[in-house]
């Protein structure tokens, strides 16, 4: 535009008129066929202010500027791409770390599961031998008050050992029988208080503030384990004494329990890991690192939540919340089973552990049965052919010939055989017995079993 004075004023902008712009030169900023912008140059008061040389110079400048702008845009896009790729890489690395952690956890749990199954079997056999002989003494010397007191203590210790196995199997994800029933959590907390008040050092003051009722649905044994674990941790954090507080209340949607202490507290790094399996701040030999992991797993199974707050030197507070049971009805405990003595029926016991055999023999003889025992499947088959016992109590896991094979061979010889499986393996009761054998055996008992349970199983087998 060489002279704006020759143009219609309507085509000129207000600024051009006010500034007396007489000539204008513009070149587009083009790159790859696309216009990226415009370079605008004007001349004030001088018509024909630009010539062809000026236009060529401006065009060259425009081309260079267009390339520079395009390069800047490409660089900006590249930066954004790098940022996105970096973010994706970081996310992938975090996912990989998370998956590696999950894999490590799964491998630990698998190893623990295998270990737990073997430990459970062996430990249950030991407990069965102890329980069998203790209950035999209890029944044989029923008038001896001192001996009754001792045997009751032994039986309670066996029950605690059995509870420990239960918790270990539960944590390792092996199937265990759960008894989810309506209950008042206050009774569980009262039981916890009774245990810790009798076992904790007197330098630890225990205070409670527990409302009632606290209606939830849960497994009493598991919940007791939760609160014992939390209280044990509180005690361990106060080696020189302190205060442990247990408080519980119900609001509209949840039953909330808090357990707090005045102990040494924890730093942020410890708080991040306290629910991880095998994590412990205790010295070697003083802790397994499983207590709080078990606790977390049980609470999760009960659809509850657990949180923790702590500061070094200022103690720790655990908060546990469970859903309120909408329809709550206290379940009355079953009355103790009465023992019905036998009339000399023949019972064959099969177990490869001599101590277990002796304990079971003593128990069953004391309630009126004639007892024989053998230590292998092959001996059991021969004995059955010769003596035809009324009931066979058969161990599941034995060397050379297991309980399943032995049971099938006995049933082949006598389809009317009454066989009760006794096992130290929890999974026997859930998945290891095939459907055909389940239909033919007369019962399954998990070790350690009290004389009342044995008596009931034998009676049911005899009446089948």
């Amino acid at each position: 535009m060489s002279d704006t004075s020759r143009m219609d004023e309507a085509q000129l902008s207000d600024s051009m008129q006010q500034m007396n712009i007489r000539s204008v030169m513009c070149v587009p900023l083009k790159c790859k066929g696309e216009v990226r912008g415009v370079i605008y140059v004007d001349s004030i008061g001088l018509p024909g202010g630009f010539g062809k040389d000026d236009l060529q110079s401006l065009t060259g400048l425009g081309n260079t500027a267009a390339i520079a702008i395009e390069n800047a845009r490409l660089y900006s896009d590249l930066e954004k791409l790098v940022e996105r790729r970096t973010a994706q890489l970081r996310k992938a690395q975090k996912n990989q770390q998370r998956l590696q952690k999950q894999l490590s956890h799964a491998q630990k749990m698998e190893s623990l599961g295998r270990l737990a199954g073997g430990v459970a079997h062996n430990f249950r056999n030991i407990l069965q031998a102890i329980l069998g002989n203790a209950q035999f003494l209890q029944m044989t010397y029923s008038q001896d008050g001192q001996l009754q007191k001792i045997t009751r203590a032994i039986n309670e210790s066996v029950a605690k050992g059995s509870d420990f196995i239960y918790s270990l199997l539960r944590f390792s994800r092996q199937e265990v029988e759960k008894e989810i029933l309506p209950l008042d959590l206050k009774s569980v907390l009262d039981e916890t208080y009774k245990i810790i008040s009798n076992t904790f050092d007197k330098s630890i003051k225990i205070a409670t503030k527990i409302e009632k009722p606290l209606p939830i649905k849960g497994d009493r044994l598991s919940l007791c384990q939760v609160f014992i674990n939390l209280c044990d941790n509180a005690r361990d954090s106060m080696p020189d004494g302190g205060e442990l507080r247990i408080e519980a209340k119900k609001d509209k949607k949840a039953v909330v329990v808090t357990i707090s202490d005045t102990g040494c507290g924890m730093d942020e790094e410890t708080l991040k890991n306290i629910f991880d399996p095998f994590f412990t701040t205790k010295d070697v030999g003083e802790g397994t690192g499983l207590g709080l992991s078990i606790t977390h797993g049980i609470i999760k199974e009960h659809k509850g939540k657990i949180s923790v707050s702590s500061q070094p030197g200022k103690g720790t507070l655990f908060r546990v919340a469970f859903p309120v049971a909408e329809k709550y009805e206290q379940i009355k405990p079953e009355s103790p089973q009465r023992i019905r003595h036998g009339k000399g029926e023949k019972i064959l016991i099969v177990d490869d552990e001599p101590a277990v055999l002796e304990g079971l023999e003593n128990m069953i003889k004391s309630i009126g049965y004639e007892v024989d025992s053998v230590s292998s499947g092959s001996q059991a088959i021969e004995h059955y052919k010769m003596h035809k016992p009324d009931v066979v109590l058969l161990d599941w896991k034995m060397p050379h010939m297991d309980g399943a094979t032995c049971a099938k061979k006995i049933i082949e010889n006598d389809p009317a055989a009454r066989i009760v499986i006794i096992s130290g393996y929890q999974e026997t009761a859930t998945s290891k017995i095939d459907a055909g054998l389940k239909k033919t055996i007369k019962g399954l008992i998990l070790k350690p079993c009290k004389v009342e349970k044995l008596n009931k199983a034998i009676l049911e087998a005899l009446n089948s």
Side-chain angles (χ1 to χ4, degrees):
M1 188 182 300
S2 59
D3 189 355
T4 59
S5 62
R6 298 178 181 178
M7 298 184 65
D8 186 352
E9 289 186 358
Q11 294 180 327
L12 302 177
S13 66
D14 291 341
S15 61
M16 292 177 73
Q17 293 182 43
Q18 292 171 3
M19 296 175 66
N20 193 27
I21 294 174
R22 299 299 300 275
S23 57
V24 175
M25 180 170 60
C26 295
V27 295
L29 302 179
K30 294 180 68 177
C31 185
K32 297 181 180 178
E34 292 185 15
V35 177
R36 301 295 186 187
V38 174
I39 294 181
Y40 169 93
V41 182
D42 58 37
S43 173
I44 297 175
L46 181 65
F50 306 105
K52 290 184 179 180
D53 292 341
D54 296 324
L55 181 60
Q56 289 177 353
S57 297
L58 191 61
T59 301
L61 177 63
N63 291 337
T64 303
I67 293 171
I69 292 172
E70 178 65 11
N71 287 341
R73 186 188 68 79
L74 291 174
Y75 182 76
S76 176
D77 290 347
L78 181 62
E79 279 188 325
K80 291 176 182 178
L81 180 61
V82 170
E83 286 177 2
R84 284 200 302 270
R85 292 290 172 85
T86 302
Q88 291 171 354
L89 181 59
R90 286 174 180 165
K91 185 177 180 181
Q93 287 174 335
K94 286 182 179 179
N95 286 338
Q96 184 180 15
Q97 290 171 353
R98 178 177 55 81
L99 291 171
Q100 285 175 339
K101 190 174 181 180
Q102 289 176 346
L103 177 61
S104 176
H105 176 74
Q107 289 171 337
K108 286 180 180 178
M109 297 306 298
E110 183 182 359
S111 298
L112 181 60
R114 288 196 298 267
L115 176 64
V119 168
H121 173 257
N122 293 329
F123 196 37
R124 279 176 171 150
N125 275 335
I126 294 169
L127 294 178
Q128 183 63 65
I130 296 170
L131 181 63
N133 288 304
Q135 289 206 301
F136 170 67
L137 290 173
Q138 213 169 9
M139 290 181 288
T140 305
Y141 301 97
S142 58
Q143 304 304 314
D144 189 327
Q146 183 65 22
L147 188 60
Q148 290 295 308
K149 184 178 179 181
I150 293 171
T151 52
R152 278 197 299 272
I154 293 172
N155 292 343
E156 288 175 4
S157 296
V158 169
K160 289 178 182 178
S162 184
D163 292 348
F164 169 75
I165 296 170
Y166 175 91
S167 297
L168 186 61
L169 290 175
R170 196 181 182 100
F171 176 68
S172 64
R173 301 297 190 267
Q174 295 201 24
E175 288 298 322
V176 292
E177 295 177 7
K178 302 177 183 69
E179 201 172 21
I180 305 297
L181 299 172
L183 57 85
D184 185 350
L185 193 60
K186 183 180 187 303
S187 64
V188 177
L189 293 170
D190 288 343
E191 184 180 346
T192 302
Y193 173 77
K194 182 179 177 182
I195 293 170
I196 64 176
S197 61
N198 289 326
T199 56
F200 282 17
D201 192 278
K202 300 305 177 185
S203 64
I204 296 177
K205 178 185 176 183
I206 304 172
T208 63
K209 184 181 177 182
I210 303 171
E211 297 180 2
K212 62 177 183 179
L214 301 172
I216 69 166
K217 288 184 178 181
D219 179 70
R220 179 178 296 274
L221 176 62
S222 300
L223 293 170
C224 190
Q225 182 76 35
V226 163
F227 297 116
I228 290 292
N229 283 349
L230 293 176
C231 290
D232 281 347
N233 274 277
R235 175 200 60 196
D236 293 342
S237 73
M238 300 183 287
D240 299 321
E243 183 178 17
L244 167 63
R245 291 191 64 83
I246 303 173
E247 299 183 10
K249 63 180 181 179
K250 177 177 78 73
D251 57 31
K252 291 183 179 180
K253 294 184 178 181
V255 168
V256 180
V257 181
T258 59
I259 296 179
S260 59
D261 63 66
T262 57
C264 59
M266 293 177 281
D267 57 28
E268 290 186 9
E269 190 63 31
T270 302
L271 285 173
K272 291 178 183 177
N273 298 292
I274 56 169
F275 296 118
D276 291 346
F278 306 105
F279 177 80
T280 180
T281 58
K282 299 174 184 176
D283 293 336
V284 175
E286 293 186 5
T288 62
L290 295 178
L292 287 177
S293 294
I294 292 173
T295 296
H296 185 269
I298 293 172
I299 292 170
K300 192 174 180 181
E301 285 179 351
H302 283 74
K303 299 180 181 178
K305 296 179 180 179
I306 182 170
S307 59
V308 57
S309 58
S310 183
Q311 289 184 20
K314 295 186 178 181
T316 300
L317 183 145
F318 282 94
R319 182 182 184 275
V320 182
F322 297 105
V324 172
E326 294 179 2
K327 295 182 180 179
Y328 168 69
E329 181 179 348
Q330 184 67 47
I331 303 297
K332 295 181 180 179
E334 294 183 6
S335 56
Q337 295 177 351
R338 295 183 62 184
I339 293 177
R340 289 174 55 189
H341 284 67
K343 300 177 181 179
E345 292 92 341
K346 293 184 291 183
I347 310 297
L348 173 63
I349 307 173
V350 189
D351 200 296
D352 62 307
E353 293 284 344
V356 175
L357 275 180
E358 183 180 1
L360 289 173
E361 277 186 48
N362 290 333
M363 289 170 76
I364 296 169
K365 283 179 181 177
S366 67
I367 55 175
Y369 295 99
E370 182 182 324
V371 180
D372 285 316
S373 62
V374 295
S375 59
S376 70
S378 57
Q379 290 176 347
I381 295 167
E382 292 304 315
H383 187 283
Y384 192 92
K385 289 177 181 178
M386 293 178 62
H387 302 284
K388 290 288 173 63
D390 296 296
V391 177
V392 179
L393 300 180
L394 179 61
D395 184 31
W396 179 260
K397 193 75 172 180
M398 296 183 292
H400 308 304
M401 182 187 296
D402 62 19
T405 303
C406 180
K408 289 174 182 177
K409 288 183 178 293
I410 290 174
I411 292 168
E412 284 176 8
N413 178 261
D414 179 11
R418 303 183 184 98
I419 298 174
V420 176
I421 299 292
I422 302 181
S423 178
Y425 281 94
Q426 182 74 41
E427 64 269 25
T428 303
T430 57
S431 60
K432 296 296 183 181
I433 299 179
D434 63 61
L437 187 57
K438 274 185 180 178
K439 292 179 181 179
T440 52
I441 63 172
K442 306 305 178 186
L444 187 145
I445 304 175
L446 189 64
K447 298 175 183 175
C449 52
K450 291 185 175 181
V451 67
E452 294 85 356
K453 186 171 283 189
L454 278 172
N455 180 241
K456 181 182 178 182
I458 291 171
L459 289 173
E460 288 177 351
L462 288 171
N463 293 329
S464 64

